[in-house]
Amino acid sequence: MPAVHRTILVVDVERYGSPVRSDSDRVAIRAGLYRALEDAFAKAALRWDDCDRLNSGDGVLVVVPPTVPKSAFVELLPGNLIAGLRRHNQRSGSTRQIRLRMALHAGEVRYDEHGVVGTAVNHAFRLIESHAFGSMFARSDGELGLVVSAWFFDNVVRHSDLGVPDAYRPLYAAVKETETTAWVRLWGGQATPPPVVTAPPRQLPPPSRHFVGRTAELDALASFVMAGDAQTVVITAIAGTAGIGKTTLATRWANAVRGRYPDGQLHVDLRGFDHRAELDPVQVLHGFLEALGVAASAMPGDLDGRSALYRGLLADRRMLVMLDNARSAEQIRPLLPNSPTCLVLITSRDRLDSLVVHEGAHRLSLDVLPEDDAARVLACHIAPDRIAAEPAAVADLVELCARLPLALSIVAARAANQPLLALSRLAGQLRDERDRLDTLDLGGHDLDFRAVVSWSYRRLSPKAARLFRLLGVHPGPDIDVLACTALLDDGRVRPLLTELTAAHLLEEHRPGRFRFHDLLRVYAQECAELQEPELEAVKVRILDHYVAAALVADCHVLPWREGVFRPAPSADTIPYLTGYHEAMAWLAEENATLLAIVDFAARTGFADHVGRLAWALNTFLNRTGQRHEREAVLRKALAVARDDDARLIALPALARALFRLGRHEEAQEMFDAAAAMVADRDDRDAKIRVLMGNADLYEDQKLHDKALECLRRMWSLVRELPNPMLHADTLCRIARQQSWLGSPAEALELAERSLDLYRGIDHRDGEAYACITLGCTYQALGEYERALEWFELALATDRELGVQYWEAEALIQIGDTHRLWGARDEAIAAWSEAASILDRLHHPEVLDVRAKLDGFATEVSS
């Protein structure tokens, strides 16, 4: 059948399917609807029976013959229909009330055995399904809302004197395949004027051409949307420090997904961290409402009114709202839609904890870029041949910019502006901390790293700002709460740390440990130099804290030192340690920081602090196999030693560290220098230190007769002293030399005496040392089973203490004994385990163990 032109009327009952209505209610509503329609048609002189009608459940499709005047549908029908609806509503309960949406269009339709079909029919249904029309009608209080197509408005409404064209307002409708402008009239009072929108807002800024990486973050953003609650608006907050790339990421992702939000995208820079004044939500809502078609004269003056209107306009619309550079949750809340069809994307330097807790926002915290992506940022601006010519300089630039996108972009732009500037020279400019932030300044407010960070710094409370400054003085890679308290000299430091981490000026990278990247540290140090009048006192507080803490830990690690018993500090002493293992764990946690503190004390002229720290760290560094670090610390202590007393402590300790590195000649020179210093001094303790160190050096070189000579001289100094530890140390060393010089029977008695002495003072290190000596003695006697028992006991003690080098030494001796006993597999297993430990320690003795394994394998194969 050919197409024919018809007027198309669609009516739809609002909230017909509401769960508060029963099926009986719906039957009554349908009866009331048809009664009102038939009566309205009759009073408008429109023949109901001449129209083709299709029941759609909650409404009716009416196709009107072409001979019926179209003007009657806007001039007469609405008033009569409203009267009929009111009569129904007056005699019906609340669950049977009718509010009616109506759509009018005209166009070609086709008929078949099932009814009518055609694009014009689809268009009429799309108009009545429009979210924008539905939300406008929902906010009105009349019984009827009418939406007419652009064609119907232009050809019928506009030319009708009785249809009141001025009462209609334009509306942009986007439903499925249909995007069109329609016209709306609402009868009765209405809570807000209808918006005047001809097209949805498209306010997103364009994405950056130089966006790199962030694949995991983009995936996370997508997952947040997929995981969103179908009943609530999806809110995603991208948080991070200044210059980390929050806006760039948000803009990139928002543009990628904007097709899912056809009703528009709103965007605003809230200026929360900016040289300009931050935007008030009232101002922002003015701009949003204007973009949504609300005339300025129709906007409420107060924040609550504007927020309510804004949320009403976004109800049921699919819109994306990007709130960039937000200061706080309070600034954001009035700008949040209340529709699950909307997405809110927020960026902020603040952590926005309140928004996460109360609104259920998904938070994505950005970190600095991986090294490869950071290098790609540079490559976006710098010519490929320059990048390829200086790969080492590129790596330096990446590190000196702390892998921070803003800093990398500024440096890359500086390099691009100066094509003849070598990248290595640019890296040299950044390497000098005094000039680093000047190099990261291209002149604009947003291209000056110092200025960009200052916007966060200025918003801190005075105490938090002071803590931030002082953290710039602290030299370590990170800091714990106790050190922060000492730094600020104020017990209430935790709220300040919370404020700094919330502002992303500090990161709690592990529970209770805080850090910031190097560029923030340089900025904080600048602020301290400008604003802290007593920096020297601050430095002293830092050093005093770490010296006292390291000495507390060392007392737990080595209660007996040089024959003196040091009782364990109280558990109430900072740091709060209760024994050996906690002390070793604390030293391991603070290892990098303590090494940085030693260097800081040496550079700033605090010689006494260097010496005391070196003394406190010596045992820990030795036990954990940090041989080169131990040497560096002791060398600094010797370099800053101010008198012979300090030098006589540092020299033997450094000499011992050097021969453990295999540098015997250099160690011997230092022992000789120390021996010359003590020759004319009445300093028995120093003489004992030098003799013991010399003996150990000779033993390490297998010069056992020389070692024994030193030890006999040492015994003459200690035997009359009431000092069980020095007695045990001397006797055990003498026993070792005797065993290796062919007198194991004599050695056995001395080794057993030393073990008893060590056990009597609960000196666990000494016990392990004596057990090793006893094992070597029984090995020399050919009693391999007894030897293994003592070596295994030493191994267990060393493992308990976490002394990795001596654990390896015990395993070597176990392997040697199994070899002598003919137990091939056991020897290989012990040597292999020892080699593994020495490999981890980067100890040269591993070569000897590998040689044992290789030699044994060759011997077996031959």
Side-chain angles (χ1 to χ4, degrees), residues 131 269 316 375 404 565 574 578 586 669 822:
H131 291 307
D269 179 355
D316 299 325
L404 198 70
F565 178 72
I574 295 173
T578 58
W586 182 87
E669 290 174 4

Side-chain angles (χ1 to χ4, degrees), residues 31-248:
L33 170 64
Y34 276 86
R35 189 164 46 248
L37 280 170
E38 292 179 19
D39 186 57
F41 265 63
K43 290 182 177 178
L46 300 171
R47 293 180 58 82
W48 177 256
D49 291 338
D50 289 347
C51 300
D52 298 309
R53 304 182 300 277
L54 178 65
N55 186 342
S56 61
D58 55 356
V60 185
L61 166 67
V62 182
V63 181
V64 183
T67 55
V68 176
K70 293 179 175 60
S71 59
F73 289 91
V74 294
E75 294 175 352
L76 302 174
L77 183 64
N80 291 316
L81 185 54
I82 289 171
L85 293 173
R86 285 177 178 170
R87 286 194 296 273
H88 169 85
N89 290 340
Q90 286 169 358
R91 60 174 179 260
S92 301
S94 61
T95 58
R96 298 185 178 188
Q97 300 287 302
I98 299 176
R99 276 169 39 89
L100 203 62
R101 292 183 296 239
M102 187 164 72
L104 279 170
H105 183 40
E108 303 284 47
V109 300
R110 292 179 180 273
Y111 285 82
D112 63 12
E113 64 272 23
H114 303 295
V116 295
V117 66
T119 301
V121 175
N122 293 346
H123 192 82
F125 273 101
R126 298 297 178 259
L127 294 180
I128 208 163
E129 292 167 0
S130 164
H131 291 307
F133 172 50
S135 63
M136 287 173 60
F137 181 57
R139 292 190 306 277
S140 71
D141 60 5
E143 291 86 359
L144 180 65
L146 172 63
V147 56
V148 302
S149 67
W151 183 95
F152 207 96
F153 182 82
D154 289 339
N155 291 278
V156 181
V157 177
R158 189 184 299 277
H159 305 290
S160 170
D161 294 330
L162 300 177
V164 196
D166 291 341
Y168 289 78
R169 293 290 181 270
L171 168 78
Y172 183 83
V175 183
K176 296 183 180 178
E177 76 284 349
T178 301
E179 290 190 37
T180 186
T181 298
W183 293 81
V184 176
R185 181 179 179 186
L186 302 177
W187 278 263
Q190 54 190 48
T192 59
V196 181
V197 179
T198 58
R202 309 287 189 201
Q203 296 183 344
L204 290 179
S208 169
R209 290 194 308 113
H210 302 309
F211 182 87
V212 299
R214 300 296 193 196
T215 303
E217 289 83 354
L218 290 168
D219 290 344
L221 289 169
S223 71
F224 293 158
V225 174
M226 295 299 293
D229 185 344
Q231 303 301 314
T232 59
V233 62
V234 178
I235 306 169
T236 297
I238 301 175
T241 191
I244 201 78
K246 302 177 293 294
T247 298
T248 303

Side-chain angles (χ1 to χ4, degrees), residues 667-677 690 694 698:
Q668 189 63 68
E669 290 174 4
M670 291 195 170
F671 279 131
D672 291 346
M677 290 175 65
V690 174
N694 247 322
Y698 289 137

Side-chain angles (χ1 to χ4, degrees), residues 430-463:
L430 283 170
R431 195 167 285 112
D432 188 342
E433 289 189 355
R434 295 168 300 178
D435 299 328
R436 187 176 300 177
L437 298 188
D438 291 334
T439 305
L440 294 174
D441 179 7
L442 287 181
H445 286 293
D446 58 343
L447 296 177
D448 176 358
F449 182 82
R450 184 186 283 110
V452 170
V453 174
S454 72
W455 305 331
S456 294
Y457 172 67
R458 291 170 187 169
R459 293 186 179 275
L460 296 172
S461 67
K463 283 192 173 183

